[in-house]
Amino acid sequence: MNYKMNLRKRILAGYLLPLLLMLGVALAVYWNTQTLQQISDSFGRSQLVLQHVRGVHRDLIAVQRSTRGYILLKNDA
């Protein structure tokens, strides 16, 4: 087999190969950016849920204290 390429094909390959490599890198960067965005959104939602859980916990502690005070002192106020 003759693997000699004429000048035109070598020039075309010399420009096409780096362009294809850059396209591949660009697609990888895009994919990683999208994944990072999803992770960031998920983290934000987790933080919001955690804040709500902490608020519910504080409210439950307040109800528990109020109930203890009512039972011990028999005071409606």
Side-chain angles (χ1 to χ4, degrees), residues 32-45:
N32 284 333
T33 303
Q34 293 300 315
T35 303
L36 183 62
Q37 182 66 40
Q38 290 174 352
I39 291 169
S40 176
D41 291 343
S42 177
F43 181 75
R45 285 190 301 271

Side-chain angles (χ1 to χ4, degrees), residues 31-76:
W31 181 74
N32 284 333
T33 303
Q34 293 300 315
T35 303
L36 183 62
Q37 182 66 40
Q38 290 174 352
I39 291 169
S40 176
D41 291 343
S42 177
F43 181 75
R45 285 190 301 271
S46 297
Q47 291 299 315
L48 186 62
V49 168
L50 188 57
Q51 287 176 353
H52 287 288
V53 167
R54 286 180 180 153
V56 169
H57 184 253
R58 276 192 308 269
D59 292 343
L60 285 174
I61 290 172
V63 167
Q64 184 181 20
R65 286 180 182 165
S66 297
T67 304
R68 282 184 195 154
Y70 177 73
I71 290 172
L72 291 174
L73 302 176
K74 305 290 184 200
N75 188 355
D76 290 340

Side-chain angles (χ1 to χ4, degrees), residues 11-25:
I11 291 172
L12 181 62
Y15 281 109
L16 192 58
L17 184 63
L19 287 175
L20 290 175
L21 288 173
M22 284 192 299
L23 180 63
V25 169

